[in-house]
Amino acid sequence: MTFSVHPFLTGGPKLLLIGGQWVEPIGGRYFDTYNPATGELLAKVAQGEAADIDRAVTAARGALEQGPWPHMTPSERQAILLRLADLVERERENFALLDTLDMGSPIRHTRGSVGLLVDLLRYYAGMARAIHGETAETSIPGMFACTLREPVGVVGAITPWNGPLWAAVLKVGPVLATGCTLVLKPAEEASLAPLRLGELALEAGAPPGVINVVTGFGETAGARLAEHPDVDKLAFTGSDETGQKIVRASAGNLKRLTLELGGKSPHIIFADADLDAAAPAAAMAVFANSGQICSAGTRLYVDRKIYDDFVQAVARHGRGLRLGDGRDPATDLGPLVSAMQRKRVEGYLDGARADGAQFISGGDRPSDPALAGGYFVNPTVLAGVSDGMRVAREEIFGPVVAAMAFDDIDEVIARANASRFGLGAGVWTKNNATALRMGRALRAGSVWVNCYNALDPAMPSGGIKASGYGREYGRAHLDDHLNIKSLWMQG
Ligand code: NAI
Ligand code: MG
């Protein structure tokens, strides 16, 4: 199979987007970004360092305070977002291919994502017109009191590699809607789509300096952004370990933080559920994107009455998925993002073996020699897992599900909630009373009943406990980009 070169990958090294210009990194260094399905080099990418972050923050501060941006009306910001949505829609195929090349996700998946992201940009365009303060009736005679909602200021964003364009849209959208400015530091494994989005934001009419993209490594560029004294808010998506570092780094100027971290989400199957629908859903809740989804349903709790059959059905679905190069439209699952990520996942599989878990399917690499150059792992279903095993407690971020049996509802609520994480949770039952009880009892930012990972721009998404705080999507996302000012006027 031969594939054509991508239009974004034909022009030499990728530079930094600062103040509306493509600029070279001050240190003059570049790193390689690869296609994880083949190991082929895609591009050299600028290695931004602390000094480049400083330049970008200066540009973002300048655009926030001078020039056209602070004077633009909600209507004008909406128009920019609508144009950006149109441009992304026009480039749908290029964006899908860019993410497929850069992090391996199948083209069918990335095409679907771009469609959802165009819709999400249009949602933020609408929200640009829906920012309201309120008036309050105080008990002070003659006082007029109201609140103003003002942009929080310069936003720093640090994103992961599991959905490169997705994560970038979630940072760019609310910034443009609220009148903030942005310095985005994308993941070093997959920086290409965020760079292209930044370029298109300029084309859509965002003034120079409103959207800046500084590629580079977490420990240098990311760390500087997190500690920077002139960044007002930091939006981080990634691992909980790095999230803790961000909290510490942010303390110097007490910047506002939102953290979208990992999970170990329970997915609970009652015996009365529509099992023909639940089994493939339970499989894809963890195998989709090769398990590299923060809200993956990785702790599968199955009613003991149906446990054996259900676990076999999930394994069967996994075995039927076609692994391959994401550019092939027949591919269901791509590789993991990097050799390092596969090593991490295989470390968990070794641990599960040592702990005595039973491998119902997978646990190894595909034998097809055509896939030998990529970082593939077969979809893996583990049975005989206990809650205390590492595979049942820690985020693996690979196509690995731990299946466990339960006997009654109180027991499964307690076990599902006994996790340091609280991102998502899934429940399958035909009984509405069970559904409502579970929806209330599960400690998670989102609970999905008879579906999993449902998503809509209007519905907030985020975590509790070690899964972080703050919400993306919905009104709450805009609120996190706005300060409330109280204005008092004595008449
Ligand atoms: P990571 O959380 O370290 O990386 C995410 C982003 O943070 C990247 O842009 C990275 O450059 C940046 N970063 C790293 N260290 C930083 C620091 N000290 N200061 C500021 N920014 C920093 O995740 P990584 O290393 O890519 O993956 C490791 C594991 O984390 C994965 O195996 C997975 O388990 C988990 N993970 C979970 C994600 C989720 O959405 N739940 C996303 C990415 C990773
Ligand atoms: Mg890459």
Side-chain angles (χ1 to χ4, degrees):
M1 207 178 306
T2 55
F3 300 101
S4 56
V5 184
H6 192 283
F8 194 59
L9 301 179
T10 51
K14 292 294 156 197
L15 305 183
L16 309 172
L17 188 60
I18 297 178
Q21 308 281 333
W22 290 113
V23 298
E24 291 180 13
I26 288 171
R29 279 186 288 275
Y30 294 82
F31 63 93
D32 296 336
T33 195
Y34 294 97
N35 178 347
T38 59
E40 90 191 277
L41 177 67
L42 294 172
K44 294 217 170 279
V45 177
Q47 187 176 325
E49 313 269 357
D52 299 298
I53 292 288
D54 292 355
R55 277 199 288 173
V57 172
T58 301
R61 175 62 59 191
L64 184 79
E65 289 172 2
Q66 300 133 31
W69 186 239
H71 308 291
M72 280 198 181
T73 62
S75 159
E76 288 168 315
R77 296 200 306 271
Q78 177 183 46
I80 291 170
L81 274 158
L82 288 173
R83 277 196 297 273
L84 182 58
D86 290 347
L87 290 171
V88 173
E89 191 168 50
R90 189 189 73 195
E91 298 244 343
R92 177 175 177 161
E93 195 57 28
N94 284 341
F95 268 117
L97 185 56
L98 207 50
D99 271 358
T100 292
L101 288 168
D102 211 3
M103 56 72 68
S105 198
I107 192 82
R108 268 195 286 135
H109 178 87
T110 54
R111 276 180 190 144
S113 294
V114 181
L116 292 168
L117 294 173
V118 168
D119 185 50
L120 186 56
L121 284 167
R122 291 186 179 133
Y123 175 82
Y124 291 119
M127 291 306 278
R129 307 291 290 271
I131 296 168
H132 300 283
E134 46 187 25
T135 56
E137 294 301 322
T138 73
S139 298
I140 304 169
M143 184 68 74
F144 173 82
C146 71
T147 59
L148 303 177
R149 313 214 83 187
E150 299 180 334
V152 78
V154 174
V155 176
I158 300 176
T159 54
W161 36 260
N162 53 331
L165 178 64
W166 199 295
V169 166
L170 278 172
K171 308 309 179 198
V172 166
V175 159
L176 292 179
T178 54
C180 293
T181 59
L182 179 70
V183 177
L184 169 63
K185 205 299 282 173
E188 47 271 46
E189 293 85 354
S191 309
L192 298 172
L195 285 169
R196 179 68 181 136
L197 185 71
E199 191 176 35
L200 285 187
L202 275 171
E203 194 179 326
V210 170
I211 303 294
N212 306 276
V213 185
V214 178
T215 49
F217 294 107
E219 298 70 23
T220 47
R224 177 60 181 155
L225 191 55
E227 68 167 18
H228 201 291
D230 204 27
V231 170
D232 299 297
K233 166 193 158 79
L234 196 99
F236 174 71
T237 307
S239 65
D240 66 305
E241 289 95 331
T242 301
Q244 290 178 27
K245 289 185 194 159
I246 302 265
V247 172
R248 283 191 284 270
S250 71
N253 73 336
L254 296 165
K255 59 176 64 66
R256 192 193 288 205
L257 284 186
T258 46
L259 301 171
E260 289 283 328
L261 308 179
K264 193 73 193 175
S265 298
H267 201 177
I268 301 163
I269 317 296
F270 287 94
D272 71 348
D274 176 351
L275 300 178
D276 292 337
M284 294 321 288
V286 64
F287 299 147
N289 214 28
S290 299
Q292 303 166 115
I293 293 184
C294 51
S295 51
T298 48
R299 287 188 292 146
L300 182 61
Y301 289 102
V302 185
D303 195 319
R304 194 179 302 281
K305 296 192 274 298
I306 55 161
Y307 179 82
D308 287 331
D309 286 350
F310 192 83
V311 170
Q312 288 299 338
V314 173
R316 216 165 29 246
H317 191 88
R319 279 191 215 101
L321 296 171
R322 184 156 158 180
L323 274 62
D325 189 315
R327 286 171 287 187
D328 182 345
T331 294
D332 294 309
L333 300 184
L336 297 171
V337 73
S338 63
M340 202 213 285
Q341 187 60 17
R342 179 164 69 178
K343 192 158 168 261
R344 279 179 58 104
V345 171
E346 290 181 335
Y348 279 105
L349 296 176
D350 291 343
R353 258 179 221 108
D355 287 342
Q358 191 191 343
F359 284 69
I360 306 292
S361 65
D364 52 1
R365 300 178 181 183
S367 52
D368 181 354
L371 303 185
Y375 312 121
F376 292 89
V377 173
N378 279 321
T380 302
V381 176
L382 301 174
V385 176
S386 61
D387 294 300
M389 288 183 192
R390 274 186 70 207
V391 282
R393 283 187 288 117
E394 296 178 17
E395 181 171 57
I396 301 175
F397 235 53
V400 182
V401 61
M404 296 169 277
F406 71 88
D407 292 294
D408 76 74
I409 186 166
D410 293 316
E411 173 208 331
V412 78
I413 289 170
R415 290 172 65 192
N417 286 342
S419 168
R420 56 192 296 271
F421 296 108
L423 192 55
V427 178
W428 290 76
T429 177
K430 284 185 185 149
N431 183 322
N432 281 342
T434 305
L436 186 55
R437 176 153 176 225
M438 296 300 287
R440 289 213 165 104
L442 289 170
R443 300 208 54 222
S446 299
V447 180
W448 294 284
V449 179
N450 296 329
C451 58
Y452 199 85
N453 266 340
L455 187 123
D456 186 275
M459 280 295 276
S461 165
I464 60 171
K465 300 198 274 184
S467 296
Y469 41 79
R471 292 292 178 267
E472 295 193 310
Y473 309 90
R475 268 190 218 184
H477 201 182
L478 279 288
D479 290 343
D480 272 333
H481 290 74
L482 296 164
N483 284 330
I484 297 176
K485 177 187 280 174
S486 293
L487 177 61
W488 304 75
M489 294 168 64
Q490 183 68 63

